[in-house]
Amino acid sequence: MKIVVSFVTVFIISFLLIFKLVYNGNKQEPEGEKIGFFMVIFVTVMLALLPTAAVGLMLFLLLGSANAVNMIFSLNLSVDQLVVLAICFLVYSFIIESIIEIIVKYILGENVFYHSTVLLIRIGVFYVIGKGIGLNPKVSFFIAAGVAIMILLIETLYNWREKNKQKDLKDE
């Protein structure tokens, strides 16, 4: 249920922001090119599905990572706890982590120390989030470390893939 509420919330926020953009853009069009109000609603719904799907994919990625750590270490967390953890991790990733990554990249440059520092910060923040929702310290640490390491692996694989694409484009 919490996942559905999260999706609906993201959809509503996306819908409202995109509706304002589409509606104002439509008002500025010449009279012959304007679309009707119901078409504006339809276009807005279709466009609002994109960020909702992206957030949903990331939420399921985090939920799957937390569930995998839960199963590997037999932490016996409930589905509700995993969903709340995944939502909190997602909120942190969208709101705060980008700022932290920019600061760390500015100070250290993009190298092994940068990735290690971001990993340690992520583990620390995820640990605090776990403690904040009532997990005991051991369980919170295992979830934090496991999910942070999985995110690092996914980011590393993505970066390698992008570098290989760029290298292949240069070779052609």
Side-chain angles (χ1 to χ4, degrees), residues 139-155:
V139 171
S140 183
F141 176 75
F142 280 120
I143 286 287
V147 172
I149 289 170
M150 286 187 186
I151 291 171
L152 177 69
L153 290 174
I154 291 168
E155 286 176 345

Side-chain angles (χ1 to χ4, degrees), residues 58-167:
M58 286 183 244
L59 181 61
F60 281 125
L61 176 79
L62 287 170
L63 184 59
S65 298
N67 192 32
V69 172
N70 183 35
M71 288 189 313
I72 290 170
F73 293 109
S74 301
L75 300 175
N76 299 324
L77 294 175
S78 69
V79 174
D80 285 345
Q81 287 175 314
L82 289 173
V83 169
V84 170
L85 270 174
I87 290 170
C88 291
F89 292 171
L90 185 69
V91 169
Y92 161 75
S93 296
F94 270 112
I95 296 173
I96 301 169
E97 188 173 58
S98 300
I99 297 167
I100 292 172
E101 285 181 349
I102 290 169
I103 292 169
V104 172
K105 190 182 287 188
Y106 179 75
I107 293 171
L108 298 176
E110 191 163 353
N111 53 31
V112 175
F113 296 117
Y114 161 76
H115 292 290
S116 301
T117 304
V118 169
L119 175 67
L120 292 174
I121 292 170
R122 202 176 274 153
I123 290 172
V125 170
F126 287 176
Y127 176 80
V128 170
I129 290 171
K131 291 285 292 166
I133 67 163
L135 301 180
N136 70 42
K138 181 180 130 187
V139 171
S140 183
F141 176 75
F142 280 120
I143 286 287
V147 172
I149 289 170
M150 286 187 186
I151 291 171
L152 177 69
L153 290 174
I154 291 168
E155 286 176 345
T156 303
L157 291 173
Y158 178 78
N159 289 338
W160 282 347
R161 182 175 160 226
E162 290 300 312
K163 286 180 184 177
N164 285 338
K165 277 186 180 179
Q166 290 176 356
K167 184 179 176 184

